[in-house]
Amino acid sequence: MLITRRTFAVGTLSLLGGAAAMPALAQAVAPVISIKKDPWCGCCTGWARHFEKAGFAIDVEEIEEMETVKDTLGVPTGLRSCHTATIDGYVIEGHVPAEAVIALLDQRPQVRGIAVPGMPIGSPGMEGPAGSDPDEYDVMAFDGSGDFVFMRFAGHQRV
């Protein structure tokens, strides 16, 4: 018998007592966020840590030719930032909060991806000194025909 993730999950649930195993199991079979970042960028590392803390499995690859990555994945020039990720068929560009990626995966809109252009202060990976006011910024959704506001944040908080 071929063991797939689904059959492994069902077997594991029955062995471990069903619902008690769900949180750990959900993480084990959740899609991995694949992050491509410049090896010299510290804010990208901070952004990756934000996703780890949010419970995502991450795969980080350091690449110096980030513009080629963005071109290949179809990230619009006006929405670009320092790092680019993919998850479950979507492109994630820049300092997008984990909450927005969770909403994207839940809602499944017909878009190529979401992006936070630039590097807003207070966004994941761009935290400022304690007590400083974070920037308000938009998480933009994009597809081949344009872009639109998907969510709005101030720092890590949705507004």
Side-chain angles (χ1 to χ4, degrees), residues 75-91:
V75 178
T77 305
L79 297 181
R80 292 183 179 187
S81 184
C82 50
H83 51 268
T84 306
T86 54
I87 186 168
D88 208 21
Y90 289 105
V91 177

Side-chain angles (χ1 to χ4, degrees), residues 27 30-33 48 50-59 87 97-103 105:
Q27 279 187 349
V32 174
I33 187 162
H50 167 75
F51 274 80
E52 275 186 313
K53 288 178 185 174
F56 283 81
I58 65 168
D59 176 42
I87 186 168
E99 180 181 347
V101 173
I102 292 166
L105 296 174

Side-chain angles (χ1 to χ4, degrees), residues 39 76 104:
L104 177 74

Side-chain angles (χ1 to χ4, degrees), residues 120-123 126-129 131-137 153-157:
I121 299 299
S123 62
M126 289 296 299
E127 292 82 2
S132 63
D133 291 331
D135 292 341
E136 285 195 18
Y137 58 95
F153 284 83
H156 292 226
Q157 300 298 312

Side-chain angles (χ1 to χ4, degrees), residues 7-96:
T7 57
F8 176 76
V10 171
T12 303
L13 277 176
S14 62
L15 288 172
L16 295 177
M22 284 304 287
L25 180 63
Q27 279 187 349
V29 296
V32 174
I33 187 162
S34 177
I35 303 166
K36 298 196 183 329
K37 66 178 250 354
D38 186 288
W40 316 112
C41 186
C43 69
C44 300
T45 301
W47 186 76
R49 271 190 248 120
H50 167 75
F51 274 80
E52 275 186 313
K53 288 178 185 174
F56 283 81
I58 65 168
D59 176 42
V60 178
E61 183 179 357
E62 295 185 340
I63 298 175
E64 290 189 21
E65 296 299 323
M66 286 303 300
E67 290 305 309
T68 303
V69 170
K70 295 167 192 314
D71 290 342
T72 301
L73 293 173
V75 178
T77 305
L79 297 181
R80 292 183 179 187
S81 184
C82 50
H83 51 268
T84 306
T86 54
I87 186 168
D88 208 21
Y90 289 105
V91 177
I92 311 299
E93 175 69 16
H95 294 272
V96 175

